Amino acid sequence: MGSVLPPTTGGDPPAAARYRPVSTHLAIAPPVSVVIPALNEAENLPYVFKTLPDWVHEVVLVDGNSTDGTVEVARALRPDVKVVEQRGKGKGDALITGFQACTGDIIVMVDADGSADGQEILSYVSALVSGADFAKGSRFANGGGTDDMTFVRKLGNRVLCAAVNRKFGARYTDLCYGYNAFWRHCLDKIDLDCTGFEVETLMNIRVVKAGLRVQEIPSHEYLRIHGVSNLRAVRDGLRVLRVILQERSNRRALRGRTHPAAPGAVRGRAS
């Protein structure tokens, strides 16, 4: 899994030593960073950290000025965690802050509420090292699911997803989901500039506009373990709609497509 590393010279360690075991028969070379935006999620972090694979390169926790000991719990659970203080507000701002602090070649976004299974990261990374630029989680692809969406949220997600597919030529089955992974170089092409929950929609639109190769990954969303979500269906749905309209009106020409798509993926579209 992953490209073969060239032989080393001098005092460098052999190429094989730089691979991290993923399972008994798989290993990867690219370092993987996991970004977790958190605001008062101390009770949920034990579960979140427990599900993360031990082969990830680093965990970046972006703290939104928590008052419940979130940072202290994170450091107790994982002494090597990289804690970044969020200066602004909103999930989009937190993720952008976390991305800037990452040192890995692959970046994975994981929510801090316990709704995501960290073991699924293997599927995301597998898609990336197999040729995709952006691995997009989907609760509605075959094999995915959700325990946490109300009827209103499902309907809104479906309508907004259909709008993005029609306006930007995508084939997404899910739009407003925060479990995604991508190669670090993608950040230079999507130029994130929003602060709220609409950040996932903005990413999904701009990877299409940039002509990046997208692979949808079936994912199961579980119920938040503790606390109450900051998401508000109507308010945040309107913000998502505003992003779609703005991106449509300011649509840039799609970048050149000069290399073949990864097996099982369509460049600029989710398979």
Side-chain angles (χ1 to χ4, degrees):
M1 189 159 104
S3 58
V4 176
L5 292 174
T8 57
T9 59
D12 293 335
R18 285 185 273 165
Y19 280 88
R20 279 169 297 284
V22 172
S23 69
T24 56
H25 60 285
L26 292 176
I28 61 170
V32 177
S33 298
V34 176
V35 176
I36 305 175
L39 174 59
N40 294 327
E41 300 285 7
E43 290 186 286
N44 292 321
L45 288 185
Y47 172 82
V48 176
F49 279 35
K50 181 181 179 180
T51 68
L52 296 178
D54 56 11
W55 45 263
V56 299
H57 167 64
E58 67 181 355
V59 176
V60 178
L61 180 85
V62 185
D63 179 55
N65 300 306
S66 299
T67 58
D68 67 343
T70 289
V71 172
E72 291 76 13
V73 169
R75 286 176 171 153
L77 292 168
R78 189 176 181 118
D80 64 343
V81 67
K82 180 185 291 186
V83 176
V84 181
E85 180 181 349
Q86 182 181 355
R87 301 292 184 180
K89 294 182 179 180
K91 184 176 184 180
D93 180 82
L95 285 171
I96 293 171
T97 300
F99 296 159
Q100 292 172 344
C102 290
T103 61
D105 295 331
I106 290 175
I107 298 175
V108 184
M109 304 157 45
V110 176
D111 287 341
D113 58 5
S115 63
D117 181 0
Q119 293 302 313
E120 291 181 0
I121 290 176
L122 175 59
S123 297
Y124 288 83
V125 171
S126 295
L128 295 176
V129 299
S130 295
D133 296 306
F134 191 89
K136 179 188 177 305
S138 173
R139 295 161 291 188
F140 304 110
N142 289 336
T146 177
D147 301 330
D148 192 44
M149 292 187 76
T150 63
F151 173 77
V152 172
R153 286 179 58 202
K154 285 182 179 179
L155 179 61
N157 186 59
R158 180 177 299 178
V159 170
L160 293 169
C161 187
V164 168
N165 287 344
R166 185 177 68 252
K167 291 181 180 295
F168 299 97
R171 290 206 299 262
Y172 293 142
T173 61
D174 198 350
L175 183 68
C176 308
Y177 190 41
Y179 202 172
N180 303 294
F182 52 90
W183 289 99
R184 185 183 184 84
H185 68 76
C186 293
L187 293 173
D188 297 329
K189 300 177 181 178
I190 60 178
D191 190 26
L192 297 176
D193 54 6
C194 69
T195 61
F197 280 99
E198 70 275 14
V199 64
E200 292 108 358
T201 297
L202 184 64
M203 295 181 76
N204 292 333
I205 292 174
R206 289 190 177 173
V207 295
V208 171
K209 293 169 69 172
L212 297 175
R213 293 169 291 189
V214 182
Q215 179 80 45
E216 276 200 338
I217 306 299
S219 177
H220 192 99
E221 178 186 41
Y222 297 91
L223 290 171
R224 163 183 278 275
I225 300 176
H226 298 286
V228 179
S229 172
N230 293 316
L231 185 148
R232 297 293 178 267
V234 175
R235 178 199 66 188
D236 294 313
L238 290 174
R239 294 184 69 161
V240 168
L241 179 59
R242 188 179 305 119
V243 163
I244 295 172
L245 296 176
Q246 289 175 343
E247 290 298 301
R248 175 61 177 174
S249 63
N250 298 324
R251 186 171 184 176
R252 300 185 295 267
L254 292 177
R255 301 188 180 185
R257 302 179 178 185
T258 59
H259 53 284
V266 178
R267 288 193 64 205
R269 299 182 178 184
S271 60

